[in-house]
């Protein structure tokens, strides 16, 4: 309800901005201010005649810039929220400080005016409204014109400096509007890509439900029929029993592979990775009759879809390998949410891996690809023949998510 009320507020709609973009631009602007501050401090230290004793205001303005930037930087370092209001306040303070420096210098030809350009560009990157950008640039241009006329001699009209002033104002508009249009185009492309991704997610969810309702149930019924035929055959026909046992194993493997898109659909629906993997592991034990359990530690942070789907795929493939090749008597799936990383591991007590395991089939290459897509790395540990196997993936926590 609060979100709907906020979105009906015209001011919120006008200044609506992507939180990730706001945080990134604030971070860039913070380092930009430190660069400008260090440059100015070095200049003032070297040329004390620029400010002492007549223009001590430079020291006050420099201290104000350092204090304001320090507060913003501390907020970023402590992972506290940085909203569009912060960016708006910082932009206003930037314009105010730049204007104050120009007023103190009292010179039309002072280089300080060029710092308007990055300040306006940062504003345009965060706030996509073209009318808002035009209004902000116009207000800045008016303030600048008033300051250069009131606080100093202003442009020398006889020397043609009115053209210089017009050029400076034109560049303000050009930079701000140009940056705004580029960002609007990029955002429209991003929104279109997100819409396509959401459509793909919906199709995957529909597909998983369709598989669950039709193919998976059919495969399960076929498996039950084969298991029943195997019991009826008994020891009367060894060759028939062998064929039925092999077919039953193939049926269980097929049924397990059908669980991948079914449970993957729950990932796309937004369920927590731990809950999905817990249910997936229990289903594995039910289908294959191999004892398997899942253990988790820590609280699950907010994870991107790429991380959740990548780790899920690795766990599924590791379980499939343990069932098909390891002759495992027990399997443990662990999901550890640590301070700076997320670690998934699948351990079995089977026969271990051969030395050339990486070149056999596409299972391990697929898991390595999933690990890279999730932003992590795959680690395979095997004690050789009879030593069991552990397949693990470690993914660093994403900045700004879950306190990472």
């Amino acid at each position: 309800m609060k979100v709907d009320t906020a979105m009906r507020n015209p001011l919120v709609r006008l200044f609506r901005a992507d939180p990730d973009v706001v945080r990134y631009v604030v971070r860039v602007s913070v380092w930009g201010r430190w660069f400008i501050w260090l440059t100015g401090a070095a200049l003032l230290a070297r040329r004390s005649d620029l400010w002492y004793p007549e223009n001590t205001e430079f020291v006050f303005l420099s201290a104000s810039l350092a204090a304001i930037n320090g507060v913003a930087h501390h907020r970023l370092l402590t992972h506290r929220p940085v909203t569009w209001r912060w960016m708006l306040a910082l932009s206003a303070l930037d314009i105010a400080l730049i204007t104050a420096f120009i007023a103190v210098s009292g010179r039309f030809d002072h280089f300080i005016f060029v710092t308007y350009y990055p300040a306006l560009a940062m504003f345009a990157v965060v706030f996509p409204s073209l009318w808002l950008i035009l209004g902000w640039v116009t207000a800045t241009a008016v303030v600048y014109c008033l300051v250069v006329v009131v606080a100093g001699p202003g442009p020398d009209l006889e020397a043609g400096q009115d053209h210089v002033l017009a050029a400076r104002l034109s560049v303000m508009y050009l930079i701000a509007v140009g940056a705004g249009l580029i960002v609007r185009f990029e955002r429209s492309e991003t929104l279109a890509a997100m819409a396509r991704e959401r459509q793909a997610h919906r199709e995957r969810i529909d597909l998983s439900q369709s598989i669950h309702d039709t193919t998976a149930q059919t495969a399960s019924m076929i498996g039950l029929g084969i298991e029943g035929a195997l019991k009826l055959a008994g020891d009367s026909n060894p060759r028939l029993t062998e064929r039925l046992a092999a077919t039953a194993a193939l049926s269980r493997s097929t049924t397990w592979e059908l669980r991948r898109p079914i449970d993957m659909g729950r990932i796309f629906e937004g369920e927590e990775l731990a809950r999905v993997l817990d249910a997936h592991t229990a289903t594995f034990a039910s289908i294959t009759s191999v004892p398997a359990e899942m253990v988790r530690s820590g609280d699950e942070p907010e994870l991107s879809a790429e991380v959740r789907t990548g780790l899920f795929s690795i766990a599924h493939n590791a379980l499939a390998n343990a069932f098909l090749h390891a002759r495992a008597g027990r399997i443990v799936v662990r999901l550890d949410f640590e301070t700076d990383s997320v670690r998934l591991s699948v351990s079995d007590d089977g026969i271990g891996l051969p030395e050339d395991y990486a070149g056999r089939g596409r299972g391990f290459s697929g898991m390595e690809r999933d690990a890279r897509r999730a932003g992590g790395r795959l680690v395979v540990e095997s004690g050789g023949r009879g030593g069991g196997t552990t397949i693990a993936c470690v993914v660093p926590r994403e900045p700004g998510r879950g306190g990472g």
Side-chain angles (χ1 to χ4, degrees), residues 355-371:
E355 293 183 359
D356 61 343
Y357 72 89
R360 295 189 178 188
R362 295 181 295 177
F364 283 96
S365 61
M367 284 188 280
E368 288 178 348
R369 184 171 58 252
D370 289 329

Side-chain angles (χ1 to χ4, degrees), residues 202-222:
R202 286 193 292 268
E203 291 175 356
R204 294 187 188 108
I205 293 170
D206 294 340
L207 176 61
S208 68
Q209 189 61 48
S210 176
I211 292 173
H212 178 271
D213 294 339
T214 56
T215 310
Q217 292 186 2
T218 301
S220 179
M221 295 300 294
I222 292 173

